[in-house]
Amino acid sequence: MKKMNSIAFLFTQAPHGNSAGREGLDALLATSALTEDIGVFFISDGVFQLVENQHPEGVLSRHHAATFKVLPLYDVTNVYISQKDMAHRGLSSQTSFVLDAQVISQQDIAQKLSEYDVVLRF
């Protein structure tokens, strides 16, 4: 049996105003049934996907960050968030996130992304 490719999911957009985060999460969860070699990266405005206590109903959005809490239940544990992008958006280690993501540098993100066969951007 052929091994499934390793897949990185790159979240780059804020959770409100579009459905990219929800679509990406749906694709990620479906893919997790096929392979365990998954990495999840939150960069640019995607860092907002993990901020806790958001109120999406105020911006006419049904998706909210809490849905990312399910990743550990699907054995998705390689989760990374950009330190630089967090800082540029006023977030820090004191920010309450819905998921325990490893905070890493831009250089480390580039290195880790290069290790995946496929990178999907949402």
Side-chain angles (χ1 to χ4, degrees):
M1 187 166 144
K2 186 178 181 226
K3 181 181 178 281
M4 175 86 175
N5 289 338
S6 60
I7 302 175
F9 287 82
L10 189 60
F11 290 90
T12 63
Q13 298 182 42
H16 311 302
N18 65 62
S19 61
R22 180 71 218 182
E23 291 168 1
L25 180 61
D26 288 346
L28 193 165
L29 297 178
T31 302
S32 72
L34 304 172
T35 182
E36 294 177 7
D37 199 356
I38 294 176
V40 186
F41 298 81
F42 296 90
I43 65 167
S44 188
D45 284 344
V47 298
F48 291 120
Q49 292 283 354
L50 296 182
V51 175
E52 198 163 49
N53 297 320
Q54 297 184 49
H55 301 285
E57 62 281 354
V59 289
L60 303 176
S61 174
R62 291 185 303 256
H63 168 70
H64 54 85
T67 54
F68 281 96
K69 285 182 182 179
V70 302
L71 292 184
L73 299 175
Y74 287 80
D75 294 324
V76 176
T77 57
N78 296 325
V79 180
Y80 309 97
I81 189 167
S82 167
Q83 180 179 33
K84 177 183 170 193
D85 292 331
M86 281 176 51
H88 281 233
R89 287 155 180 84
L91 305 176
S92 72
S93 60
Q94 304 305 310
T95 302
S96 185
F97 293 108
V98 298
L99 186 62
D100 191 20
Q102 184 179 347
V103 179
I104 61 175
S105 70
Q106 295 294 100
Q107 182 178 347
D108 287 343
I109 287 174
Q111 167 60 41
K112 288 186 180 299
L113 281 173
S114 72
E115 298 171 4
Y116 288 89
D117 298 319
V118 178
V119 177
L120 301 175
R121 176 180 290 233
F122 294 93

